[in-house]
Amino acid sequence: MIKVAKVRTKILEANDIHDIENIEDKVNAYLDSLQEGTFIDIKFSTVLHPNYSKTYTALIVYKTN
């Protein structure tokens, strides 16, 4: 029998340079809220918009029961 894990994602965003510190806090708080052993991966990205504003994104992948 093959066991398949259910996987979920959570996306956290920040929209300017002042929020980048806040997204780090949000990511750490979210990771702390997960059950031990459920975290799989995290990917960070930054998008530079035509008006030179930035969007910072963290994609968190984790298992569910």
Side-chain angles (χ1 to χ4, degrees):
M1 176 190 262
I2 297 173
K3 290 185 85 176
V4 178
K6 294 180 183 177
V7 176
R8 298 201 54 159
T9 59
K10 176 71 174 179
I11 297 174
L12 302 172
E13 288 187 356
N15 291 318
D16 62 40
I17 194 64
H18 301 292
D19 283 343
I20 189 62
E21 293 170 359
N22 292 340
I23 198 168
E24 291 172 2
D25 292 341
K26 288 179 185 178
V27 167
N28 288 332
Y30 194 79
L31 292 175
D32 287 344
S33 74
L34 293 176
Q35 280 186 317
E36 188 173 331
T38 60
F39 171 76
I40 297 174
D41 199 7
I42 187 167
K43 300 291 184 199
F44 292 98
S45 67
T46 304
V47 175
L48 178 61
H49 300 283
N51 65 356
Y52 299 104
S53 66
K54 293 180 182 178
T55 300
Y56 302 93
T57 305
L59 172 67
I60 301 168
V61 181
Y62 61 97
K63 294 186 285 186
T64 61
N65 293 338

